[in-house]
Amino acid sequence: MIKKIAEEKYNDTFWKEFGTNVKLGVIEDHSNRTRLAKLLRFQSSHHESNLTSLDQYVERMKEKQDKIYFMAGASRKEAESSPFVERLLKKGYEVIYLTEPVDEYCIQALPEFDGKRFQNVAKEGVKFEESEKSKESREALEKEFEPLLNWMKDKALKDKIEKAVLSQRLTQSPCALVASQYGWSGNMERIMKAQAYQTGKDISTNYYASQKKTFEINPRHPLIKDMLRRVKENEDDKTVSDLAVVLFETATLRSGYMLPDTKEYGDRIERMLRLSLNIDLDAKVEEEPEEPEDAAEEAEQDEEEVDADAEDSETQKESTDVKDEL
């Protein structure tokens, strides 16, 4: 019966009314999961406003594409501007945007669709077909940037990341923080930590939230190229160490995760701003001038006298009004 509903009417009426129920059915009804999956609708990069089904996505897949790519975020704008989708969109791959809290749970409940597995583009596993020439070029870049990658992993970001690698998914952004296949994406972390029943002592939450992630860098970005030069010259440079941490923290935010210490992040940004403006790092904030105690007391007394005069004037006015009435 549902299959007989016209696509436009289905999206405008049925899906708006029962879309969430269908997604919950995919999560909870194991026996009908495959049939319910055909009813799912999502936003995607294929069209700015029209919804797409998984069947339609599979029909439009590129040749040799073996995975269904999706990106989860709080809104479509957040998902489509994520650093994780840059190269996919540039290469013409369609990306499904999951913008509702239940969406990522729903997709995780589906092992595959029509023989195609799902790939969260915010996690490890995003790879592209490479020609022999492209592979040689990538290997040459890996060798060139090896000093920077090792320095990040073993020194600058030693306690913050699992490893540092050259990215295949970035084109414009300098870096990104990528979760493991079984870790939380930034969107999932935000959803789980927003649960009303969650506590700071929850073992499962703390385990997933504390997992180290892969730090991917874009070897063609000017910031990364300059960092490589600086590290080769002096790997103990305090400025380049600060830059590495700021890049990591910025990537944390852009990848959808939360910073554990926002004050430290703010202090580090201030330090870099001082350096860029040639302001002494030890320059103190100017103290506010303190008023003498006598002057402050006199000002307070004057205020009290003004208030008292105003009250007397008001009382006299009320008394005059009463007499006039009599």
Side-chain angles (χ1 to χ4, degrees):
M1 177 179 166
I2 295 176
K3 291 181 180 179
K4 294 180 180 179
I5 302 176
E7 182 70 19
E8 185 175 343
K9 189 176 180 181
Y10 177 90
N11 293 343
D12 292 340
T13 57
F14 180 86
W15 183 252
K16 284 184 179 179
E17 189 70 28
F18 301 106
T20 301
N21 300 78
V22 173
K23 293 172 185 176
L24 291 174
V26 170
I27 297 171
E28 299 173 358
D29 190 349
H30 300 273
S31 59
N32 292 305
R33 182 172 289 165
T34 302
R35 295 170 64 189
L36 288 171
K38 294 181 179 294
L39 303 179
L40 292 172
R41 297 293 186 273
F42 299 104
Q43 296 187 60
S44 86
S45 58
H46 177 70
H47 197 278
E48 291 185 1
S49 58
N50 291 350
L51 299 177
T52 187
S53 67
L54 295 177
D55 276 322
Q56 292 168 333
Y57 180 98
V58 172
E59 288 176 6
R60 294 191 293 261
M61 285 176 64
K62 294 170 71 72
E63 188 179 353
K64 295 184 179 180
Q65 180 183 344
D66 60 350
K67 293 180 180 178
I68 299 173
Y69 297 112
F70 69 89
M71 175 66 206
S75 65
R76 180 189 174 104
K77 183 177 181 181
E78 179 184 315
E80 66 186 0
S81 61
S82 168
F84 298 120
V85 302
E86 289 177 353
R87 188 171 295 279
L88 285 165
L89 297 182
K90 185 177 181 180
K91 284 182 169 289
Y93 288 94
E94 183 177 353
V95 180
I96 291 174
Y97 299 135
L98 309 183
T99 57
E100 296 182 9
V102 71
D103 286 352
E104 196 165 353
Y105 288 104
C106 177
I107 293 297
Q108 286 179 351
L110 285 170
E112 62 179 29
F113 180 84
D114 197 17
K116 310 291 184 182
R117 299 191 67 83
F118 290 90
Q119 172 64 54
N120 187 334
V121 299
K123 295 185 177 183
E124 293 178 341
V126 177
K127 296 180 181 179
F128 301 98
E129 287 287 328
E130 289 183 301
S131 64
E132 194 63 33
K133 186 176 180 180
S134 297
K135 186 177 180 181
E136 290 176 1
S137 177
R138 178 174 57 80
E139 290 174 349
L141 277 174
E142 288 175 349
K143 186 174 182 180
E144 179 185 353
F145 280 83
E146 188 175 0
L148 178 60
L149 296 173
N150 290 338
W151 175 79
M152 285 179 167
K153 179 182 180 297
D154 299 330
K155 194 168 185 178
L157 305 175
K158 182 178 179 181
D159 299 323
K160 302 178 185 294
I161 62 174
E162 180 67 28
K163 58 184 176 180
V165 299
L166 296 188
S167 180
Q168 293 189 47
R169 73 187 85 203
L170 302 176
T171 59
Q172 299 298 319
S173 301
C175 51
L177 202 60
V178 180
S180 67
Q181 279 294 341
Y182 303 101
W184 278 349
S185 66
N187 183 67
M188 183 59 75
E189 180 182 271
R190 180 169 54 232
I191 292 171
M192 293 302 296
K193 288 190 174 182
Q195 299 293 338
Y197 61 82
Q198 288 290 349
T199 67
K201 297 180 181 179
D202 188 279
I203 297 175
S204 176
T205 300
N206 290 338
Y207 168 75
Y208 283 107
S210 62
Q211 280 191 330
K212 291 181 180 179
K213 301 167 183 67
T214 300
F215 190 55
E216 292 192 359
I217 62 173
N218 183 356
R220 293 176 175 80
H221 196 282
L223 275 176
I224 302 301
K225 292 168 75 173
D226 191 63
M227 281 188 69
L228 174 63
R229 178 185 64 80
R230 287 170 175 259
V231 168
K232 285 182 176 179
E233 291 176 357
N234 179 16
E235 63 178 28
D236 295 321
D237 186 346
K238 174 65 175 172
T239 302
V240 75
S241 295
D242 275 355
L243 177 59
V245 178
V246 168
L247 279 175
F248 166 78
E249 291 173 333
T250 304
T252 300
L253 293 173
R254 290 201 65 191
S255 301
Y257 297 99
M258 291 178 282
L259 289 174
D261 191 342
T262 54
K263 182 185 181 303
E264 187 178 339
Y265 175 66
D267 291 343
R268 194 171 287 107
I269 291 293
E270 181 186 342
R271 171 184 162 82
M272 300 199 74
L273 288 173
R274 283 175 178 249
L275 289 172
S276 65
L277 296 174
N278 294 321
I279 298 174
D280 189 351
L281 294 177
D282 297 323
K284 303 295 183 183
V285 177
E286 183 179 342
E287 294 287 342
E288 293 183 12
E290 294 185 4
E291 293 185 9
E293 291 185 5
D294 294 341
E297 290 177 0
E298 289 177 6
E300 188 176 341
Q301 289 176 358
D302 290 342
E303 288 180 4
E304 290 176 354
E305 290 175 2
V306 170
D307 291 339
D309 292 342
E311 289 178 3
D312 292 341
S313 176
E314 186 68 26
T315 303
Q316 290 176 3
K317 183 179 179 182
E318 290 177 357
S319 178
T320 301
D321 293 341
V322 171
K323 288 179 182 179
D324 292 341
E325 290 177 3
L326 293 174

